[in-house]
Protein backbone atom coordinates (compact mmCIF):
# COMPACT_ATOMS: atom_id res chain seq x y z
CA UNK A 1 0.00 0.00 0.00
CA UNK A 2 1.48 3.33 -0.95
CA UNK A 3 0.29 6.68 0.32
CA UNK A 4 -0.31 7.95 -3.21
CA UNK A 5 -3.99 8.26 -3.85
CA UNK A 6 -6.35 8.29 -6.74
CA UNK A 7 -8.72 11.17 -6.08
CA UNK A 8 -11.71 9.18 -7.35
CA UNK A 9 -11.20 6.41 -4.84
CA UNK A 10 -10.73 8.60 -1.75
CA UNK A 11 -12.88 7.70 1.22
CA UNK A 12 -13.62 10.36 3.84
CA UNK A 13 -12.72 9.08 7.27
CA UNK A 14 -13.53 10.48 10.70
CA UNK A 15 -11.52 8.61 13.27
CA UNK A 16 -10.26 9.27 16.80
CA UNK A 17 -6.54 8.60 17.07
CA UNK A 18 -5.00 8.69 20.54
CA UNK A 19 -7.90 10.75 21.84
CA UNK A 20 -7.94 13.29 19.01
CA UNK A 21 -10.79 13.36 16.51
CA UNK A 22 -9.40 13.57 12.98
CA UNK A 23 -11.12 14.19 9.66
CA UNK A 24 -9.05 12.47 7.00
CA UNK A 25 -9.32 10.85 3.60
CA UNK A 26 -7.86 7.47 2.77
CA UNK A 27 -7.56 5.12 -0.17
CA UNK A 28 -10.20 2.39 -0.48
CA UNK A 29 -7.72 -0.41 0.13
CA UNK A 30 -5.34 1.54 2.35
CA UNK A 31 -4.46 -0.14 5.62
CA UNK A 32 -4.63 1.45 9.04
CA UNK A 33 -0.87 0.88 9.31
CA UNK A 34 -0.20 2.99 6.21
CA UNK A 35 -2.58 5.65 7.44
CA UNK A 36 -0.86 5.87 10.82
CA UNK A 37 2.74 5.73 9.60
CA UNK A 38 2.63 7.58 6.30
CA UNK A 39 -0.22 10.01 6.71
CA UNK A 40 -0.22 10.78 10.45
CA UNK A 41 3.50 10.30 11.09
CA UNK A 42 2.81 7.91 13.95
CA UNK A 43 5.63 5.44 13.42
CA UNK A 44 5.20 3.57 16.71
CA UNK A 45 3.33 0.74 15.01
CA UNK A 46 5.93 -1.08 12.91
CA UNK A 47 5.62 -2.81 9.56
CA UNK A 48 7.31 -6.16 10.00
CA UNK A 49 5.63 -8.83 7.91
CA UNK A 50 2.54 -6.97 6.62
CA UNK A 51 0.84 -10.40 6.90
CA UNK A 52 -0.56 -10.48 10.42
CA UNK A 53 2.15 -12.83 11.64
CA UNK A 54 4.68 -10.79 13.63
CA UNK A 55 2.52 -8.52 15.81
CA UNK A 56 4.75 -5.44 15.38
CA UNK A 57 1.88 -3.36 13.95
CA UNK A 58 -0.60 -4.18 16.74
CA UNK A 59 -2.74 -1.21 17.84
CA UNK A 60 -6.00 -0.97 19.78
CA UNK A 61 -9.25 -0.43 17.89
CA UNK A 62 -12.11 0.43 20.25
CA UNK A 63 -9.86 -0.92 22.99
CA UNK A 64 -9.19 -4.31 21.38
CA UNK A 65 -5.87 -5.37 19.87
CA UNK A 66 -5.90 -5.64 16.06
CA UNK A 67 -3.28 -5.95 13.36
CA UNK A 68 -3.03 -2.50 11.75
CA UNK A 69 -1.46 -4.14 8.67
CA UNK A 70 -4.63 -6.17 8.04
CA UNK A 71 -7.16 -3.49 9.01
CA UNK A 72 -8.67 -1.53 6.13
CA UNK A 73 -8.46 2.09 7.31
CA UNK A 74 -11.91 2.95 5.95
CA UNK A 75 -13.50 0.41 8.34
CA UNK A 76 -12.24 2.52 11.28
CA UNK A 77 -14.81 5.28 10.67
CA UNK A 78 -16.16 6.68 13.94
CA UNK A 79 -13.95 4.34 15.97
CA UNK A 80 -11.08 4.86 18.43
CA UNK A 81 -7.52 3.94 17.53
CA UNK A 82 -4.76 3.87 20.14
CA UNK A 83 -1.06 3.53 19.39
CA UNK A 84 1.99 3.38 21.64
CA UNK A 85 2.41 7.15 21.22
CA UNK A 86 -0.99 7.65 22.86
CA UNK A 87 0.06 5.92 26.07
CA UNK A 88 2.38 8.77 27.06
CA UNK A 89 1.11 11.10 29.78
CA UNK A 90 2.98 14.21 28.70
CA UNK A 91 6.56 12.96 28.83
CA UNK A 92 5.74 10.18 31.29
CA UNK A 93 5.68 6.57 30.14
CA UNK A 94 2.68 4.38 30.93
CA UNK A 95 3.18 1.67 33.60
CA UNK A 96 3.59 -0.96 30.87
CA UNK A 97 6.11 1.15 28.96
CA UNK A 98 8.04 1.98 32.14
CA UNK A 99 8.15 -1.66 33.22
CA UNK A 100 9.46 -2.75 29.81
CA UNK A 101 12.25 -0.16 30.06
CA UNK A 102 13.07 -0.90 33.69
CA UNK A 103 13.04 -4.65 33.14
CA UNK A 104 15.52 -4.62 30.25
CA UNK A 105 12.77 -6.02 28.03
CA UNK A 106 13.65 -3.74 25.12
CA UNK A 107 16.62 -4.52 22.93
CA UNK A 108 16.30 -3.36 19.31
CA UNK A 109 12.78 -2.23 20.18
CA UNK A 110 11.12 -3.22 16.91
CA UNK A 111 8.59 -5.50 18.59
CA UNK A 112 8.08 -3.25 21.60
CA UNK A 113 5.17 -1.01 20.47
CA UNK A 114 3.10 -4.05 19.46
CA UNK A 115 3.93 -5.88 22.69
CA UNK A 116 3.08 -2.71 24.62
CA UNK A 117 -0.38 -2.43 23.08
CA UNK A 118 -1.15 -6.13 23.64
CA UNK A 119 -0.10 -5.85 27.28
CA UNK A 120 -2.01 -2.60 27.75
CA UNK A 121 -5.21 -4.27 26.55
CA UNK A 122 -4.56 -7.27 28.80
CA UNK A 123 -3.96 -5.21 31.95
CA UNK A 124 -7.06 -3.10 31.37
CA UNK A 125 -9.20 -6.24 31.13
CA UNK A 126 -7.32 -8.23 33.78
CA UNK A 127 -5.32 -6.11 36.25
CA UNK A 128 -3.58 -9.13 37.83
CA UNK A 129 -2.88 -11.73 35.12
CA UNK A 130 -0.59 -14.67 35.83
CA UNK A 131 2.41 -15.53 33.65
CA UNK A 132 0.35 -17.96 31.56
CA UNK A 133 -2.19 -15.26 30.68
CA UNK A 134 0.62 -12.85 29.83
CA UNK A 135 2.17 -15.42 27.50
CA UNK A 136 -1.20 -16.01 25.88
CA UNK A 137 -1.66 -12.27 25.29
CA UNK A 138 1.82 -12.11 23.75
CA UNK A 139 1.30 -15.09 21.46
CA UNK A 140 1.56 -13.77 17.92
CA UNK A 141 4.14 -11.17 18.93
CA UNK A 142 7.57 -12.16 17.67
CA UNK A 143 10.72 -10.83 19.31
CA UNK A 144 14.05 -11.64 17.70
CA UNK A 145 16.13 -10.23 20.56
CA UNK A 146 14.98 -10.75 24.13
CA UNK A 147 13.92 -14.38 24.36
CA UNK A 148 10.60 -13.19 25.83
CA UNK A 149 11.43 -13.93 29.47
CA UNK A 150 12.10 -10.32 30.39
CA UNK A 151 8.99 -9.17 28.54
CA UNK A 152 6.80 -11.54 30.58
CA UNK A 153 8.55 -10.43 33.78
CA UNK A 154 8.04 -6.78 32.85
CA UNK A 155 4.33 -7.37 32.24
CA UNK A 156 3.97 -8.92 35.70
CA UNK A 157 5.95 -6.02 37.19
CA UNK A 158 3.65 -3.54 35.42
CA UNK A 159 0.62 -5.29 36.91
CA UNK A 160 2.25 -5.11 40.32
CA UNK A 161 3.09 -1.42 39.91
CA UNK A 162 -0.47 -0.65 38.81
CA UNK A 163 -1.91 -2.53 41.75
CA UNK A 164 0.27 -0.50 44.11
CA UNK A 165 -0.82 2.73 42.53
CA UNK A 166 -4.41 1.59 43.07
CA UNK A 167 -6.96 3.40 41.00
CA UNK A 168 -4.25 4.93 38.83
CA UNK A 169 -4.13 1.79 36.69
CA UNK A 170 -7.81 1.96 35.88
CA UNK A 171 -7.31 5.53 34.66
CA UNK A 172 -5.43 4.10 31.67
CA UNK A 173 -8.84 3.12 30.31
CA UNK A 174 -10.57 6.44 30.77
CA UNK A 175 -11.06 8.90 27.99
CA UNK A 176 -9.71 11.99 29.74
CA UNK A 177 -6.43 10.30 30.41
CA UNK A 178 -6.21 9.29 26.76
CA UNK A 179 -6.96 12.77 25.52
CA UNK A 180 -4.32 14.20 27.84
CA UNK A 181 -1.84 11.57 26.70
CA UNK A 182 -2.42 12.46 23.08
CA UNK A 183 -1.72 16.16 23.55
CA UNK A 184 1.17 17.10 21.29
CA UNK B 1 -2.03 -1.24 -8.40
CA UNK B 2 -4.19 -0.60 -5.37
CA UNK B 3 -4.53 3.13 -6.01
CA UNK B 4 -7.92 2.79 -7.61
CA UNK B 5 -9.34 0.32 -5.14
CA UNK B 6 -12.73 1.58 -4.03
CA UNK B 7 -14.52 1.00 -0.74
CA UNK B 8 -18.18 0.77 0.22
CA UNK B 9 -19.81 0.02 3.56
CA UNK B 10 -23.57 -0.35 2.92
CA UNK B 11 -26.11 -0.88 5.67
CA UNK B 12 -28.41 -3.24 3.77
CA UNK B 13 -27.90 -6.72 2.34
CA UNK B 14 -29.69 -5.67 -0.86
CA UNK B 15 -27.10 -2.98 -1.47
CA UNK B 16 -24.21 -5.37 -0.77
CA UNK B 17 -25.65 -7.89 -3.21
CA UNK B 18 -26.23 -5.31 -5.93
CA UNK B 19 -22.66 -3.96 -5.58
CA UNK B 20 -21.26 -7.49 -5.84
CA UNK B 21 -23.54 -8.30 -8.78
CA UNK B 22 -22.52 -5.15 -10.67
CA UNK B 23 -18.78 -5.85 -10.49
CA UNK B 24 -17.24 -9.32 -10.73
CA UNK B 25 -13.93 -7.91 -9.43
CA UNK B 26 -15.55 -6.66 -6.20
CA UNK B 27 -14.92 -8.66 -3.01
CA UNK B 28 -16.69 -8.52 0.29
CA UNK B 29 -14.59 -7.60 3.28
CA UNK B 30 -15.18 -9.14 6.71
CA UNK B 31 -12.31 -9.04 9.23
CA UNK B 32 -9.70 -8.66 6.49
CA UNK B 33 -7.34 -11.10 8.20
CA UNK B 34 -7.06 -13.17 5.03
CA UNK B 35 -8.19 -10.79 2.28
CA UNK B 36 -5.91 -7.89 3.28
CA UNK B 37 -2.98 -10.25 3.82
CA UNK B 38 -3.50 -11.45 0.24
CA UNK B 39 -3.76 -7.85 -1.00
CA UNK B 40 -0.53 -6.95 0.84
CA UNK B 41 1.21 -9.94 -0.75
CA UNK B 42 0.06 -8.84 -4.21
CA UNK B 43 -2.05 -11.97 -4.66
CA UNK B 44 -5.31 -10.12 -5.24
CA UNK B 45 -6.41 -6.58 -6.02
CA UNK B 46 -10.18 -6.26 -5.92
CA UNK B 47 -11.64 -3.25 -7.72
CA UNK B 48 -14.04 -2.65 -4.84
CA UNK B 49 -14.11 -3.73 -1.20
CA UNK B 50 -17.65 -4.16 0.09
CA UNK B 51 -17.44 -4.07 3.88
CA UNK B 52 -20.07 -6.17 5.69
CA UNK B 53 -19.48 -4.42 9.01
CA UNK B 54 -22.59 -2.24 8.97
CA UNK B 55 -25.10 -4.93 8.01
CA UNK B 56 -27.71 -5.29 10.74
CA UNK B 57 -27.91 -8.59 12.62
CA UNK B 58 -24.77 -10.07 11.08
CA UNK B 59 -22.46 -9.75 14.09
CA UNK B 60 -24.70 -11.28 16.74
CA UNK B 61 -25.22 -14.79 18.10
CA UNK B 62 -28.92 -15.53 18.52
CA UNK B 63 -30.76 -18.47 20.09
CA UNK B 64 -33.61 -19.82 17.92
CA UNK B 65 -36.99 -21.05 19.16
CA UNK B 66 -36.13 -24.70 18.41
CA UNK B 67 -32.91 -24.66 20.45
CA UNK B 68 -30.65 -23.97 17.46
CA UNK B 69 -28.12 -21.14 17.72
CA UNK B 70 -27.58 -18.79 14.79
CA UNK B 71 -24.08 -17.33 14.59
CA UNK B 72 -24.05 -14.25 12.34
CA UNK B 73 -21.43 -14.24 9.58
CA UNK B 74 -19.69 -11.19 11.08
CA UNK B 75 -19.42 -12.65 14.60
CA UNK B 76 -15.76 -12.34 15.60
CA UNK B 77 -13.78 -15.38 16.75
CA UNK B 78 -13.36 -13.81 20.22
CA UNK B 79 -17.14 -13.35 20.53
CA UNK B 80 -17.87 -16.97 19.61
CA UNK B 81 -15.06 -18.19 21.89
CA UNK B 82 -16.64 -16.38 24.85
CA UNK B 83 -20.28 -17.25 24.03
CA UNK B 84 -21.89 -19.30 26.81
CA UNK B 85 -25.25 -19.93 25.14
CA UNK B 86 -24.18 -23.04 23.23
CA UNK B 87 -25.57 -26.36 24.51
CA UNK B 88 -24.17 -29.85 23.91
CA UNK B 89 -22.39 -30.36 20.59
CA UNK B 90 -22.99 -26.70 19.64
CA UNK B 91 -20.13 -25.80 21.98
CA UNK B 92 -17.60 -27.25 19.51
CA UNK B 93 -17.75 -23.87 17.72
CA UNK B 94 -16.55 -22.03 20.83
CA UNK B 95 -13.90 -24.66 21.50
CA UNK B 96 -12.54 -24.26 17.96
CA UNK B 97 -12.77 -20.45 18.03
CA UNK B 98 -10.59 -20.36 21.16
CA UNK B 99 -7.81 -22.11 19.21
CA UNK B 100 -7.78 -19.76 16.19
CA UNK B 101 -4.58 -17.77 15.79
CA UNK B 102 -3.65 -15.12 18.34
CA UNK B 103 -5.68 -12.61 20.39
CA UNK B 104 -5.53 -9.87 17.72
CA UNK B 105 -6.59 -12.34 15.02
CA UNK B 106 -9.55 -13.41 17.18
CA UNK B 107 -10.72 -9.80 17.58
CA UNK B 108 -10.57 -9.31 13.79
CA UNK B 109 -11.53 -12.56 12.05
CA UNK B 110 -15.14 -13.63 11.48
CA UNK B 111 -16.84 -16.99 11.04
CA UNK B 112 -18.23 -15.90 7.66
CA UNK B 113 -14.78 -14.94 6.39
CA UNK B 114 -13.21 -18.11 7.70
CA UNK B 115 -15.66 -20.55 6.14
CA UNK B 116 -15.92 -18.57 2.88
CA UNK B 117 -12.16 -18.75 2.48
CA UNK B 118 -12.46 -22.51 3.22
CA UNK B 119 -8.90 -23.34 4.15
CA UNK B 120 -9.08 -27.02 5.19
CA UNK B 121 -6.49 -26.32 7.91
CA UNK B 122 -8.68 -23.60 9.42
CA UNK B 123 -10.61 -24.42 12.57
CA UNK B 124 -14.23 -23.45 11.87
CA UNK B 125 -14.76 -25.63 8.79
CA UNK B 126 -13.92 -28.72 10.85
CA UNK B 127 -16.01 -27.57 13.83
CA UNK B 128 -19.16 -26.73 11.88
CA UNK B 129 -18.88 -30.04 10.01
CA UNK B 130 -18.83 -31.94 13.31
CA UNK B 131 -21.78 -29.89 14.60
CA UNK B 132 -23.89 -30.64 11.47
CA UNK B 133 -24.37 -26.89 11.09
CA UNK B 134 -26.14 -25.28 8.17
CA UNK B 135 -24.70 -22.31 6.27
CA UNK B 136 -27.16 -19.49 5.48
CA UNK B 137 -26.52 -17.84 2.14
CA UNK B 138 -27.98 -14.71 0.53
CA UNK B 139 -27.60 -13.99 -3.16
CA UNK B 140 -29.09 -12.41 -6.24
CA UNK B 141 -31.41 -15.42 -6.60
CA UNK B 142 -32.59 -15.20 -3.00
CA UNK B 143 -31.66 -16.96 0.23
CA UNK B 144 -30.75 -20.62 0.65
CA UNK B 145 -29.30 -22.90 3.29
CA UNK B 146 -26.54 -25.45 2.66
CA UNK B 147 -25.39 -28.12 5.15
CA UNK B 148 -21.72 -27.81 6.13
CA UNK B 149 -21.06 -31.19 4.49
CA UNK B 150 -22.03 -29.76 1.12
CA UNK B 151 -20.74 -26.23 1.67
CA UNK B 152 -17.05 -27.20 1.50
CA UNK B 153 -16.47 -28.36 -2.05
CA UNK B 154 -12.71 -28.42 -2.55
CA UNK B 155 -9.49 -26.74 -1.47
CA UNK B 156 -10.44 -23.02 -0.93
CA UNK B 157 -13.70 -23.68 -2.78
CA UNK B 158 -17.24 -23.53 -1.42
CA UNK B 159 -20.80 -23.90 -2.67
CA UNK B 160 -21.07 -20.07 -2.85
CA UNK B 161 -22.03 -18.91 -6.35
CA UNK B 162 -20.60 -15.62 -7.65
CA UNK B 163 -22.33 -12.71 -5.95
CA UNK B 164 -23.53 -14.79 -3.00
CA UNK B 165 -22.52 -14.14 0.59
CA UNK B 166 -22.71 -16.10 3.81
CA UNK B 167 -25.09 -14.43 6.27
CA UNK B 168 -24.83 -16.88 9.16
CA UNK B 169 -24.25 -20.38 10.46
CA UNK B 170 -27.14 -22.19 12.14
CA UNK B 171 -26.03 -24.78 14.67
CA UNK B 172 -28.82 -27.31 15.36
CA UNK B 173 -29.87 -28.25 18.90
CA UNK B 174 -28.22 -31.35 20.32
CA UNK B 175 -30.72 -33.68 22.05
CA UNK B 176 -27.87 -35.90 23.26
CA UNK B 177 -26.28 -33.00 25.19
CA UNK B 178 -22.82 -34.14 24.12
CA UNK B 179 -19.57 -32.81 25.57
CA UNK B 180 -17.00 -31.53 23.09
CA UNK B 181 -13.27 -31.36 22.56
CA UNK B 182 -11.34 -29.62 19.78
CA UNK B 183 -7.88 -31.14 19.43
CA UNK B 184 -5.47 -29.12 17.32
CA UNK B 185 -1.90 -30.11 16.53
CA UNK B 186 0.33 -27.21 15.47
CA UNK B 187 4.07 -26.73 15.20
CA UNK B 188 3.81 -23.27 16.79
CA UNK B 189 1.12 -21.75 19.00
CA UNK B 190 -1.51 -19.89 16.98
CA UNK B 191 -0.60 -21.44 13.64
CA UNK B 192 -3.05 -23.21 11.36
CA UNK B 193 -3.45 -26.89 12.20
CA UNK B 194 -1.20 -29.61 10.86
CA UNK B 195 -4.05 -31.93 11.82
CA UNK B 196 -7.15 -31.15 13.91
CA UNK B 197 -10.15 -33.11 15.13
CA UNK B 198 -13.48 -31.91 16.48
CA UNK B 199 -15.28 -34.45 18.68
CA UNK B 200 -18.77 -34.40 20.25
CA UNK B 201 -19.43 -37.32 22.60
CA UNK B 202 -22.31 -38.35 24.86
CA UNK B 203 -22.19 -41.41 27.14
CA UNK B 204 -24.99 -43.54 28.59
CA UNK B 205 -25.34 -44.26 32.34
CA UNK B 206 -23.29 -47.43 31.94
CA UNK B 207 -20.49 -45.60 30.13
CA UNK B 208 -21.37 -46.87 26.65
CA UNK B 209 -21.15 -44.36 23.82
CA UNK B 210 -24.59 -42.83 23.27
CA UNK B 211 -23.68 -40.31 20.57
CA UNK B 212 -20.53 -39.57 18.63
CA UNK B 213 -19.59 -37.10 15.89
CA UNK B 214 -16.04 -36.52 14.73
CA UNK B 215 -14.68 -34.32 11.94
CA UNK B 216 -11.03 -34.01 10.96
CA UNK B 217 -9.28 -31.03 9.35
CA UNK B 218 -5.95 -30.37 7.66
CA UNK B 219 -5.94 -33.81 6.06
CA UNK B 220 -7.95 -33.36 2.85
CA UNK B 221 -9.21 -30.57 0.57
CA UNK B 222 -12.26 -30.24 2.86
CA UNK B 223 -13.06 -31.36 6.42
CA UNK B 224 -13.87 -35.08 6.53
CA UNK B 225 -16.26 -37.34 8.48
CA UNK B 226 -17.00 -41.08 8.45
CA UNK B 227 -20.54 -41.37 9.74
CA UNK B 228 -20.69 -45.17 9.43
CA UNK B 229 -17.48 -45.49 11.46
CA UNK B 230 -18.95 -43.15 14.10
CA UNK B 231 -22.12 -45.28 14.22
CA UNK B 232 -20.06 -48.46 14.71
CA UNK B 233 -18.88 -47.17 18.10
CA UNK B 234 -22.35 -46.39 19.45
CA UNK B 235 -23.79 -48.62 22.19
CA UNK B 236 -20.42 -49.94 23.38
CA UNK B 237 -17.82 -48.63 25.79
CA UNK B 238 -15.00 -46.69 24.18
CA UNK B 239 -12.02 -48.92 23.55
CA UNK B 240 -8.61 -48.36 22.02
CA UNK B 241 -9.58 -50.76 19.21
CA UNK B 242 -12.78 -48.87 18.51
CA UNK B 243 -10.95 -45.55 18.37
CA UNK B 244 -8.25 -47.06 16.17
CA UNK B 245 -10.94 -48.25 13.72
CA UNK B 246 -12.44 -44.76 13.58
CA UNK B 247 -9.00 -43.22 13.08
CA UNK B 248 -8.20 -45.72 10.33
CA UNK B 249 -11.50 -45.03 8.56
CA UNK B 250 -10.75 -41.30 8.55
CA UNK B 251 -7.15 -41.89 7.44
CA UNK B 252 -8.46 -43.97 4.51
CA UNK B 253 -10.61 -41.07 3.37
CA UNK B 254 -7.87 -38.48 3.95
CA UNK B 255 -5.94 -36.93 1.09
CA UNK B 256 -3.33 -34.73 2.75
CA UNK B 257 -0.70 -32.53 1.14
CA UNK B 258 2.97 -31.89 1.85
CA UNK B 259 3.59 -28.40 3.15
CA UNK B 260 5.66 -26.59 5.77
CA UNK B 261 3.32 -27.84 8.51
CA UNK B 262 4.07 -31.49 7.75
CA UNK B 263 4.33 -34.06 4.98
CA UNK B 264 1.29 -35.91 3.71
CA UNK B 265 2.60 -39.13 5.21
CA UNK B 266 3.17 -37.48 8.58
CA UNK B 267 -0.38 -36.09 8.58
CA UNK B 268 -1.85 -39.49 7.71
CA UNK B 269 -0.02 -41.07 10.65
CA UNK B 270 -0.88 -38.24 13.01
CA UNK B 271 -4.58 -38.25 12.17
CA UNK B 272 -5.66 -41.37 14.17
CA UNK B 273 -3.72 -40.13 17.20
CA UNK B 274 -5.39 -36.72 17.13
CA UNK B 275 -8.82 -38.28 16.56
CA UNK B 276 -8.33 -40.69 19.47
CA UNK B 277 -7.22 -37.86 21.75
CA UNK B 278 -10.16 -35.65 20.75
CA UNK B 279 -12.73 -38.40 21.43
CA UNK B 280 -11.16 -39.49 24.73
CA UNK B 281 -11.01 -35.91 25.97
CA UNK B 282 -14.59 -35.19 24.95
CA UNK B 283 -15.68 -38.39 26.73
CA UNK B 284 -13.71 -37.39 29.83
CA UNK B 285 -15.36 -33.96 29.73
CA UNK B 286 -18.77 -35.62 29.50
CA UNK B 287 -17.99 -37.82 32.51
CA UNK B 288 -16.64 -34.91 34.54
CA UNK B 289 -19.68 -32.81 33.71
CA UNK B 290 -22.27 -35.46 34.64
CA UNK B 291 -20.28 -36.20 37.78
CA UNK B 292 -20.41 -32.53 38.70
CA UNK B 293 -24.15 -32.37 37.96
CA UNK B 294 -25.33 -35.50 39.78
CA UNK B 295 -22.50 -36.09 42.19
CA UNK B 296 -22.09 -39.56 40.66
CA UNK B 297 -22.54 -39.72 36.89
CA UNK B 298 -21.66 -42.57 34.55
CA UNK B 299 -18.43 -44.50 34.79
CA UNK B 300 -15.34 -43.04 33.23
CA UNK B 301 -15.40 -43.18 29.44
CA UNK B 302 -13.76 -46.59 29.18
CA UNK B 303 -10.20 -45.65 28.27
CA UNK B 304 -7.97 -43.43 30.34
C1 LIG C 1 -1.56 -14.56 11.63
C2 LIG C 1 -2.83 -15.29 11.34
C3 LIG C 1 -3.09 -16.50 11.98
C4 LIG C 1 -4.26 -17.19 11.72
N1 LIG C 1 -4.45 -18.38 12.35
C5 LIG C 1 -5.57 -19.07 12.11
C6 LIG C 1 -5.81 -20.32 12.76
O1 LIG C 1 -5.02 -20.79 13.57
N2 LIG C 1 -6.95 -20.98 12.46
C7 LIG C 1 -7.88 -20.48 11.59
O2 LIG C 1 -8.89 -21.11 11.37
N3 LIG C 1 -7.69 -19.30 10.98
C8 LIG C 1 -6.56 -18.59 11.21
N4 LIG C 1 -6.38 -17.38 10.57
C9 LIG C 1 -7.43 -16.87 9.66
C10 LIG C 1 -8.41 -15.98 10.43
O3 LIG C 1 -9.03 -16.80 11.35
C11 LIG C 1 -9.59 -15.29 9.66
O4 LIG C 1 -10.74 -15.66 10.19
C12 LIG C 1 -9.81 -15.70 8.32
O5 LIG C 1 -8.65 -15.28 7.75
C13 LIG C 1 -10.91 -15.02 7.50
O6 LIG C 1 -11.81 -14.25 8.23
P1 LIG C 1 -11.99 -12.70 7.97
O7 LIG C 1 -13.21 -12.32 8.68
O8 LIG C 1 -10.74 -12.00 8.34
O9 LIG C 1 -12.25 -12.64 6.41
P2 LIG C 1 -11.69 -11.70 5.18
O10 LIG C 1 -10.22 -11.75 5.23
O11 LIG C 1 -12.32 -10.36 5.33
O12 LIG C 1 -12.29 -12.46 4.00
C14 LIG C 1 -11.78 -13.73 3.58
C15 LIG C 1 -12.43 -14.14 2.25
O13 LIG C 1 -13.78 -14.47 2.44
C16 LIG C 1 -14.64 -13.59 1.74
N5 LIG C 1 -15.74 -13.30 2.67
C17 LIG C 1 -15.66 -12.72 3.89
N6 LIG C 1 -16.86 -12.72 4.49
C18 LIG C 1 -17.73 -13.31 3.64
C19 LIG C 1 -19.11 -13.61 3.70
N7 LIG C 1 -19.86 -13.31 4.78
N8 LIG C 1 -19.68 -14.21 2.63
C20 LIG C 1 -18.93 -14.53 1.54
N9 LIG C 1 -17.61 -14.28 1.43
C21 LIG C 1 -17.02 -13.68 2.48
C22 LIG C 1 -13.81 -12.40 1.37
O14 LIG C 1 -14.26 -11.78 0.18
C23 LIG C 1 -12.44 -13.03 1.21
O15 LIG C 1 -12.33 -13.62 -0.05
C24 LIG C 1 -5.21 -16.66 10.81
C25 LIG C 1 -4.97 -15.44 10.16
C26 LIG C 1 -3.79 -14.77 10.41
C27 LIG C 1 -3.57 -13.48 9.70
S1 LIG D 1 3.31 -6.09 10.30
FE1 LIG D 1 1.32 -6.54 10.96
S2 LIG D 1 1.58 -8.42 11.97
FE2 LIG D 1 3.55 -8.11 11.09
S1 LIG E 1 13.54 -6.22 21.07
FE1 LIG E 1 14.25 -6.63 19.07
S2 LIG E 1 12.56 -7.71 18.23
FE2 LIG E 1 12.01 -7.55 20.28
Amino acid sequence: MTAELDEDALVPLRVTVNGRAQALACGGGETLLTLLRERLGLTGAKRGCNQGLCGACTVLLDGQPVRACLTVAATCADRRVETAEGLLRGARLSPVQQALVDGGAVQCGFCTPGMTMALTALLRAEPRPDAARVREALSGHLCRCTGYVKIVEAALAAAEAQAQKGADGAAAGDADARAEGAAP
Amino acid sequence: MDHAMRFAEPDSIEEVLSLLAADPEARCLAGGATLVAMMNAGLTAPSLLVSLRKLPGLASIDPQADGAVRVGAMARHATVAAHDGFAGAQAILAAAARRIGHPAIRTMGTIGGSISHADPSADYPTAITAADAVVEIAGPEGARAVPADEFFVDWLETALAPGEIVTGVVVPPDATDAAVHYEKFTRADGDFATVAAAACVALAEDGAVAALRVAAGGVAPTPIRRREAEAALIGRPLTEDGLAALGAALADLSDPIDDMRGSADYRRRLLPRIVGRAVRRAAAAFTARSGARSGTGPQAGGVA
Side-chain angles (χ1 to χ4, degrees):
Chain A
M1 305 282 119
T2 65
E4 285 153 45
L5 292 172
D6 181 324
E7 296 293 324
D8 297 340
L10 278 184
V11 185
L13 175 64
R14 277 182 314 157
V15 58
T16 300
V17 181
N18 295 332
R20 270 171 81 182
Q22 310 248 18
L24 306 163
C26 63
E30 184 174 324
T31 65
L32 177 59
L33 185 60
T34 298
L35 181 93
L36 291 170
R37 292 182 58 85
E38 293 172 30
R39 209 176 298 287
L40 299 178
L42 294 170
T43 54
K46 300 287 181 264
R47 180 175 288 124
C49 63
N50 223 21
Q51 288 292 308
L53 294 162
C54 74
C57 67
T58 302
V59 300
L60 305 188
L61 183 57
D62 288 341
Q64 299 296 315
V66 297
R67 299 290 200 243
C69 71
L70 299 183
T71 301
V72 172
T75 64
C76 299
D78 304 316
R79 300 169 87 184
R80 289 184 293 116
V81 177
E82 294 168 80
T83 71
E85 288 93 337
L87 299 179
L88 294 171
R89 304 279 168 271
R92 202 154 42 88
L93 299 178
S94 77
V96 169
Q97 292 172 316
Q98 191 64 54
L100 288 166
V101 172
D102 293 345
V106 182
Q107 290 189 29
C108 80
F110 193 84
C111 68
T112 310
M115 298 269 187
T116 303
M117 299 319 288
L119 292 174
T120 298
L122 174 69
L123 293 191
R124 283 182 194 168
E126 276 178 59
R128 298 308 298 265
D130 60 14
R133 290 289 296 146
V134 169
R135 275 195 286 272
E136 201 183 322
L138 293 180
S139 108
H141 290 264
L142 303 185
C143 178
R144 302 283 85 164
C145 305
T146 65
Y148 304 100
V149 173
K150 284 178 190 282
I151 299 176
V152 175
E153 288 171 358
L156 296 172
E160 180 76 24
Q162 277 194 4
Q164 275 173 16
K165 277 202 280 177
D168 211 44
D174 99 27
D176 291 344
R178 253 195 314 278
E180 178 206 318
Chain B
M1 178 180 77
D2 55 271
H3 58 277
M5 198 178 294
R6 288 169 301 120
F7 176 87
E9 196 160 69
D11 52 18
S12 80
I13 293 243
E14 293 70 28
E15 210 178 324
V16 165
L17 295 177
S18 75
L19 286 169
L20 293 174
D23 180 357
E25 299 300 312
R27 289 288 172 275
C28 53
L29 173 69
T34 295
L35 184 57
V36 180
M38 290 172 70
M39 283 159 42
N40 289 350
L43 296 172
T44 183
S47 55
L48 168 68
L49 296 176
V50 184
S51 164
L52 306 181
R53 195 171 71 90
K54 292 254 168 81
L55 292 185
L58 242 66
S60 57
I61 304 178
D62 302 302
Q64 311 289 289
D66 64 352
V69 174
R70 179 185 178 276
V71 182
M74 288 295 284
R76 309 281 160 171
H77 306 334
T79 308
V80 176
H83 184 70
D84 60 6
F86 292 122
Q90 294 171 336
I92 194 68
L93 270 75
R98 283 194 278 275
R99 299 299 313 277
I100 299 176
H102 315 289
I105 301 303
R106 293 194 290 273
T107 51
M108 299 182 71
T110 67
I111 190 168
S114 174
I115 67 170
S116 300
H117 185 60
D119 184 329
S121 288
D123 299 303
Y124 272 136
T126 308
I128 74 166
T129 299
D132 289 313
V134 172
V135 181
E136 272 183 8
I137 296 171
E141 316 283 303
R144 62 193 181 108
V146 176
D149 262 355
E150 295 161 32
F151 181 77
F152 301 106
V153 172
D154 203 343
W155 176 266
L156 306 184
E157 193 184 320
T158 67
L160 286 173
E164 284 189 325
I165 67 166
V166 171
T167 51
V169 174
V170 178
V171 196
D174 171 24
T176 70
D177 199 20
V180 302
H181 184 81
Y182 187 76
E183 183 70 23
K184 178 175 177 180
F185 184 88
T186 60
R187 304 306 306 260
D189 182 59
D191 194 7
F192 283 87
T194 304
V195 173
C200 312
V201 179
L203 303 176
E205 287 288 330
D206 62 0
V209 178
L212 176 65
R213 298 187 241 174
V214 182
V219 292
T222 66
I224 56 171
R225 271 183 79 172
R226 292 303 295 266
R227 288 168 197 272
E228 72 297 345
E230 294 167 12
L233 301 193
I234 306 281
R236 295 190 279 133
L238 269 186
T239 60
E240 287 299 342
D241 285 351
L243 287 175
L246 175 62
L250 283 161
D252 273 351
L253 187 65
S254 72
D255 181 16
I257 57 163
D258 294 318
D259 69 8
M260 77 238 193
R261 297 191 178 88
S263 68
D265 184 49
Y266 177 63
R267 286 183 153 102
R268 216 176 279 111
R269 288 166 191 243
L270 195 55
L271 172 59
R273 307 289 294 268
I274 298 301
V275 165
R277 205 180 283 169
V279 175
R280 281 195 299 270
R281 290 185 176 171
F286 187 93
T287 304
R289 195 186 64 190
S290 12
R293 275 182 194 166
S294 66
T296 54
Q299 322 251 289
V303 283

